[in-house]
Amino acid sequence: MAESRRARRLWLAAGWLMLAAVLWGTLTPEPPDLAPPIPQFDKLEHFGAFLLLTAWFCAAIRARRRWLWIAAAFVLLGGLIEIIQGWSGFRDAEWLDWAADSAGALIALWLPALWLSRLHERWVTGHAAGL
């Protein structure tokens, strides 16, 4: 049981670290530009980040009825990030970024959250069994 709790804590810690990385990348004055030279590629980055974050935190919660609240929190976070960027003076608010964030968060409720939920349970159960 203690191993299971530790595994769940590690899962959540990894999620919080990913969230911190996304917040740093979206709120720093000059984030590293790792994107290929494809127009509007950053929208795919926004979509993917919020899809992963939402699915990751949903997987940590067994009660699926709470998943919609998690997705709503990430939709709101995406909007808040854009507002802060607009106020910052060194970043621009792009509402299409928020649309990409929101789409990623909502689509995460479907297949990604289910898949990660199964992976999470196997990892926690396997970790608790000493694997």
Side-chain angles (χ1 to χ4, degrees):
M1 190 65 152
E3 289 290 324
S4 177
R5 268 192 232 119
R6 186 177 320 148
R8 286 186 191 283
R9 286 184 186 143
L10 285 172
W11 184 275
L12 285 172
W16 288 111
L17 284 172
M18 287 187 286
L19 178 59
V22 167
L23 289 174
W24 176 82
T26 59
L27 298 176
T28 190
E30 294 184 36
D33 188 12
L34 305 174
I38 299 171
Q40 301 298 317
F41 185 79
D42 70 309
K43 304 308 179 260
L44 184 59
E45 292 174 319
H46 281 265
F47 176 85
F50 278 75
L51 180 124
L52 176 62
L53 286 169
T54 303
W56 192 271
F57 281 97
C58 285
I61 305 296
R62 288 185 180 168
R64 289 187 184 171
R65 64 186 177 276
R66 294 185 182 170
W67 287 10
L68 191 56
W69 289 106
I70 293 169
F74 278 110
V75 167
L76 290 173
L77 177 64
L80 182 62
I81 287 169
E82 294 308 317
I83 290 168
I84 293 170
Q85 284 179 340
W87 289 343
S88 71
F90 51 80
R91 298 287 296 263
D92 294 324
E94 289 189 44
W95 297 108
L96 287 177
D97 288 349
W98 185 36
D101 298 341
S102 300
L106 294 173
I107 290 173
L109 293 175
W110 181 50
L111 190 59
L114 293 172
W115 179 78
L116 270 177
S117 181
R118 288 187 188 116
L119 179 68
H120 174 264
E121 286 305 314
R122 284 187 193 140
W123 185 71
V124 168
T125 303
H127 193 74
L131 293 178

